Amino acid sequence: MINFQYVQATDVADAVRQTGGDPRARFVAGGTNLIDLMKMEVEQPTRVIDITRLPLRQVEPTPSGGLRIGALVPNTDLAYHPLVEERYPVLSSAIMAGASQQLRNMASTGGNLLQRTRCAYFYDVATPCNKRTPGTGCSAIEGLNRGHAILGTSQACIAVHPSDMCVAMMMLDATVHVTGPTGDRVVPFADFHRLPGDAPQRDTNLNPGEIITAVELPPKGFASHHTYLKIRDRLSYAFALVAIAAGLDLDGDTIKEGRFALGGIAHKPWRDPKAEAVLRGQPANAATFTRAADVLLRDARGYKYNTFKIDLARRCIVRALGQAARATPQSQSHKKIA
């Protein structure tokens, strides 16, 4: 039995104030991850702060031509929002590739950024796990690690970040708006999540007491040439072995700009500017895409059961970039699921 205090926040400032500087205080919105972790006794918060009444459910254009997404916008609402479908369809596709309809109805945008790894050893409180209990060791390194990381690992942790939505937001160059005891700040998406290093218990660079208030997308959404490819063990309700969000800006068959981010391979959504630089000014063909894949995977390392993911990731990059090059908005539309 976990004893905790439950409070409802009345506004953003109140939510921050209610943390009281307690590192074990937790915000709850949809609860699709936190409640599971509490049931498994992985998370044992002293205080749970309900933020569902905060005015953070708007999706609205920004003066710069981008889009501001409130932290409490449900995943389903975001995926089907007309401006997202029209201008950022890769984000719609990524959200629809994750979880189930029921979970997407409950899960929030901010909560999606904060969801924790689905590593089985992290969830099993009877096994050593540095992410759960620092200093105890990483059971996955010598254990069943088929779904674990091949990039950005450390001797402390080889877990992967589970989000599909975050992979698309990484590719789109999003920024995260947060509010905390010292005020407001904006964090580039690439800097929001952390690699494990020697402190795998920290998933993000949020400071104590900070709350996500919004995610902002820049004007460029790669609406004409994009794809989201997710490879998993079964067609639905499964986390990615490898996922990729890709977008291309083409001049005929020449790549003016190309971006791609991967999920399922690291402790955070993975994007490499050096790999993207390989695409610039080159023909949109398999040879170019293979060179970019080789650059991104140059430091990849397998652990016993997951070495196959290196070649799988390479083939996924080539395939996804090829799909983006051939794509049209009509070919990539998705139908709403009732």
Side-chain angles (χ1 to χ4, degrees), residues 149-217:
I150 56 173
L151 284 168
T153 59
S154 72
Q155 286 303 304
C157 182
I158 60 171
V160 299
H161 192 268
S163 172
D164 288 287
M165 186 188 80
C166 288
V167 179
M169 287 187 168
M170 175 72 93
M171 188 276 280
L172 290 168
D173 246 353
T175 53
V176 185
H177 292 252
V178 303
T179 297
T182 60
D184 303 335
R185 66 187 182 107
V186 179
V187 184
F189 206 89
D191 298 330
F192 183 79
H193 297 100
R194 293 169 51 92
L195 292 179
D198 59 1
Q201 70 275 15
R202 291 190 61 195
D203 293 337
T204 74
N205 284 311
L206 283 177
N207 295 321
E210 286 189 323
I211 183 174
I212 299 171
T213 57
V215 176
E216 186 172 331
L217 302 178

Side-chain angles (χ1 to χ4, degrees), residues 16-58:
V16 173
R17 189 165 49 249
Q18 291 282 8
T19 65
D22 185 351
R24 291 177 59 191
R26 295 290 183 269
F27 299 119
V28 65
T32 58
N33 188 207
L34 177 62
I35 302 305
D36 283 345
L37 291 169
M38 290 174 66
K39 289 178 180 178
M40 301 295 289
E41 298 189 0
V42 175
E43 287 274 11
Q44 299 187 37
T46 53
R47 174 177 289 196
V48 174
I49 305 161
D50 186 340
I51 60 171
T52 55
R53 298 184 181 184
L54 304 190
L56 303 175
R57 294 179 179 270
Q58 293 76 32

Side-chain angles (χ1 to χ4, degrees), residues 266-328:
H267 198 257
K268 60 184 288 185
W270 193 270
R271 185 177 165 203
D272 188 339
K274 291 182 179 179
E276 294 177 350
V278 171
L279 301 173
R280 197 171 301 120
Q282 299 301 308
N285 58 31
T288 298
F289 302 151
T290 300
R291 288 196 297 273
D294 288 342
V295 171
L296 183 136
L297 294 166
R298 63 192 180 278
D299 295 324
R301 173 192 174 184
Y303 291 84
K304 195 173 181 179
Y305 298 112
N306 76 344
T307 303
F308 77 97
K309 290 179 72 170
I310 300 174
D311 184 58
L312 178 61
R314 180 178 289 104
R315 288 184 284 122
C316 285
I317 292 168
V318 174
R319 179 180 174 185
L321 289 170
Q323 288 179 348
R326 297 188 299 272
T328 64

Side-chain angles (χ1 to χ4, degrees), residues 233-250:
D233 285 327
R234 58 183 186 272
L235 187 59
S236 62
Y237 311 148
F239 293 98
L241 291 169
V242 176
I244 175 170
L248 297 174
D249 185 1
L250 299 177

Side-chain angles (χ1 to χ4, degrees), residues 81-278:
H81 194 281
L83 290 177
V84 175
E85 289 189 308
E86 177 187 353
R87 294 166 52 186
Y88 307 95
V90 68
L91 178 57
S92 291
S93 297
I95 294 171
M96 294 300 294
S100 66
Q101 183 67 39
Q102 293 90 339
L103 286 172
R104 291 193 296 267
N105 289 344
M106 292 296 297
S108 66
T109 298
N112 196 299
L113 270 63
L114 296 176
Q115 64 178 301
R116 309 206 69 187
T117 185
R118 265 45 177 204
C119 173
Y121 298 106
F122 174 67
Y123 270 77
D124 183 357
V125 295
T127 62
C129 172
N130 288 319
K131 178 176 282 296
R132 180 174 17 84
T133 309
T136 58
C138 176
S139 297
I141 290 178
E142 297 296 333
L144 298 175
N145 50 34
R146 184 171 179 273
H148 286 69
I150 56 173
L151 284 168
T153 59
S154 72
Q155 286 303 304
C157 182
I158 60 171
V160 299
H161 192 268
S163 172
D164 288 287
M165 186 188 80
C166 288
V167 179
M169 287 187 168
M170 175 72 93
M171 188 276 280
L172 290 168
D173 246 353
T175 53
V176 185
H177 292 252
V178 303
T179 297
T182 60
D184 303 335
R185 66 187 182 107
V186 179
V187 184
F189 206 89
D191 298 330
F192 183 79
H193 297 100
R194 293 169 51 92
L195 292 179
D198 59 1
Q201 70 275 15
R202 291 190 61 195
D203 293 337
T204 74
N205 284 311
L206 283 177
N207 295 321
E210 286 189 323
I211 183 174
I212 299 171
T213 57
V215 176
E216 186 172 331
L217 302 178
K220 193 164 192 173
F222 295 94
S224 296
H225 295 281
H226 70 275
T227 196
Y228 189 77
L229 176 65
K230 181 176 182 178
I231 305 300
R232 44 191 164 175
D233 285 327
R234 58 183 186 272
L235 187 59
S236 62
Y237 311 148
F239 293 98
L241 291 169
V242 176
I244 175 170
L248 297 174
D249 185 1
L250 299 177
D251 181 5
D253 291 330
T254 301
I255 303 170
K256 294 170 60 179
E257 181 183 4
R259 294 189 205 160
F260 59 105
L262 276 74
I265 64 167
H267 198 257
K268 60 184 288 185
W270 193 270
R271 185 177 165 203
D272 188 339
K274 291 182 179 179
E276 294 177 350
V278 171

